[in-house]
Amino acid sequence: MFARLARIWRLGIKELYSLKADPVLAGLILYTFTVAVYTVSAGAKFEVENAAVAVVDEDQSALSRQLRDALLQPFFKPPVVITADEVDAAMDSGRYVFVLTIPPKFEHDLIAGRDPALQLDIDATAMSQAGNGAAYIQNIMTQEVAAALAARSAVASSTGEAPVSVVIRPKFNANLTSAWFTAVMQVINNVTMLAVILSGAALIREREHGTIEHLLVMPVTPIEIMLAKIWANGLVIVVAATLSLLIVVERLLNVPVQGSVTLFVASMLVYQFSVTALGILVATVSTSMAQFGLIVMPILIVMNLLSGSTTPMESMPVWLQNVMQLSPSTHFVALSQAVLYRGAGLAVIWPNLLALAAIGAAFFGLAVLRFRKALQAAG
């Protein structure tokens, strides 16, 4: 037993030296967990910020001025008042993302009980900002109009406020800052991507460099070779991801981590067993690095996009949610969000850890069978 562990240890050290001698892969790891995490989190924002907005005020009433003044920073730049004749040219030139038109007698019709309409022109070339900004403006206009009507109602005159007041208090991310979500999910997605690529590339590299024949004459078994590649490549990813979480996410991006980093790292070790085994499994059916890349890219895209890190699981069809339970990334994203966002403990995430171990064992078993066949064919 000790001799087998010693062989796995020495083979893993060889893997680390091979990775050290490959500056491309080393640079990829460094870039992925530093620059890629920071730029995506700081640059790709989902909330509206400093959007250019113009107002066509054809009512010139107290309510219309109130609606215009309600478009506040930092969501919007100070509104610019323009005329109706300037709208088309302004939108065509891209000067404004939103143009709000308040029709004549808007306040008068509103007080009289009619249903006047506000017109909002949107430059939808910036799709995310346009969609979110339209929702922002709609909510702002609804609140301002409701407040204006309530101020004139009998209830408002007696109580001084509207009969119903909805107060929304978001938990875990009070300001709804997208970087808090994006940064952590970017680290998790990068863990998945690099774990699969590094472990698969390590096996492909043995075949392309001709060192697979050296392994055949050594007193080692396929399981020992696989375990060495798993612990060596997994260790590199875990260390890099942990440093990225502590330095890039917490320090540079100022994203608070609510839960136990130790529990997250321990969970990541279990996850590494699953995804590195998957990488080796894909490598056993690939004949070259190019073919490995063509096979693994769609797998990674599906794992990342449908794991809950980009699209909420609840928004997917039920059958797709059930299918994605077979993916280790789904369980890792769920437990990572529970630990890092909500401060959950082992009592909450143990089902996800159990699922990760089971999926990893299945991948490992299939990879061992395929790897043995590959070694027999090479011998």
Side-chain angles (χ1 to χ4, degrees):
M1 182 64 181
F2 291 105
R4 169 169 288 190
L5 291 177
R7 289 195 295 270
I8 294 174
W9 169 261
R10 286 192 288 268
L11 286 172
I13 296 298
K14 179 190 76 69
E15 290 295 325
L16 294 178
Y17 276 110
S18 299
L19 181 60
K20 180 182 176 181
D22 193 333
V24 175
L25 282 180
L28 176 64
I29 296 172
L30 180 63
Y31 169 82
T32 301
F33 285 108
T34 54
V35 178
V37 173
Y38 183 86
T39 53
V40 171
S41 304
K45 295 184 178 180
F46 297 101
E47 64 267 17
V48 178
E49 184 175 348
N50 292 325
V53 59
V55 176
V56 178
D57 188 357
E58 297 181 325
D59 188 27
Q60 296 296 325
S61 64
L63 179 58
S64 66
R65 288 189 292 271
Q66 180 180 340
L67 295 179
R68 182 184 64 201
D69 294 339
L71 301 173
L72 301 175
Q73 293 178 309
F75 302 126
F76 305 98
K77 294 180 179 178
V80 178
V81 178
I82 62 176
T83 64
D85 296 335
E86 299 176 282
V87 173
D88 290 339
M91 295 292 288
D92 291 341
S93 62
R95 281 187 288 160
Y96 306 109
V97 180
F98 306 99
V99 176
L100 177 67
T101 301
I102 305 174
K105 298 183 179 181
F106 177 76
E107 184 178 28
H108 177 272
D109 292 342
L110 194 65
I111 296 173
R114 304 185 183 94
D115 294 322
L118 296 172
Q119 177 176 298
L120 182 63
D121 294 304
I122 305 172
D123 180 1
T125 52
M127 185 178 63
S128 177
Q129 188 179 53
N132 294 336
Y136 281 32
I137 294 176
Q138 182 179 3
N139 292 335
I140 292 171
M141 296 300 107
T142 301
Q143 292 174 6
E144 293 297 324
V145 170
L149 291 177
R152 292 174 171 82
S153 67
V155 175
S157 62
S158 60
T159 64
E161 58 183 17
V164 178
S165 178
V166 178
V167 179
I168 300 175
R169 294 187 176 92
K171 296 186 69 175
F172 314 118
N173 189 354
N175 294 325
L176 301 178
T177 305
S178 62
W180 288 21
F181 176 81
T182 307
V184 176
M185 290 301 101
Q186 187 68 16
V187 172
I188 292 174
N189 288 339
N190 291 345
V191 166
T192 303
M193 178 184 68
L194 284 184
V196 174
I197 292 177
L198 285 185
S199 58
L203 184 59
I204 298 292
R205 189 168 52 239
E206 298 276 11
R207 185 181 303 155
E208 291 185 342
H209 292 177
T211 54
I212 193 74
E213 288 80 5
H214 298 170
L215 295 176
L216 291 174
V217 299
M218 293 175 62
V220 293
T221 64
I223 292 181
E224 293 173 353
I225 297 173
M226 286 182 54
L227 288 176
K229 295 183 181 300
I230 286 174
W231 84 254
N233 291 284
L235 177 64
V236 172
I237 301 301
V238 169
V239 172
T242 303
L243 292 176
S244 178
L245 182 66
L246 296 176
I247 298 175
V248 179
V249 175
E250 280 198 285
R251 300 301 176 91
L252 296 181
L253 294 171
N254 296 317
V255 177
V257 174
Q258 302 293 337
S260 170
V261 176
T262 302
L263 180 59
F264 171 71
V265 172
S267 303
M268 188 162 40
L269 290 172
V270 180
Y271 181 59
Q272 286 300 297
F273 173 69
S274 300
V275 285
T276 50
L278 174 61
I280 293 176
L281 177 61
V282 175
T284 58
V285 299
S286 306
T287 57
S288 64
M289 189 68 77
Q291 189 181 56
F292 173 75
L294 290 175
I295 296 175
V296 82
M297 286 308 297
I299 295 176
L300 291 175
I301 291 173
V302 171
M303 288 178 65
N304 285 341
L305 290 182
L306 302 181
S307 64
S309 63
T310 302
T311 303
M313 292 293 296
E314 295 77 9
S315 66
M316 302 179 193
V318 176
W319 67 267
L320 185 57
Q321 296 182 37
N322 295 331
V323 170
M324 288 307 298
Q325 298 304 310
L326 301 175
S327 170
S329 61
T330 302
H331 300 282
F332 185 60
V333 167
L335 72 85
S336 298
Q337 292 177 349
V339 172
L340 298 179
Y341 293 151
R342 299 184 285 273
L346 183 61
V348 175
I349 67 170
W350 71 264
N352 298 111
L353 288 175
L354 188 61
L356 283 178
I359 295 172
F363 284 157
F364 184 79
L366 291 174
V368 168
L369 294 177
R370 289 290 312 170
F371 191 42
R372 281 176 176 168
K373 290 183 180 180
L375 290 179
Q376 291 173 358

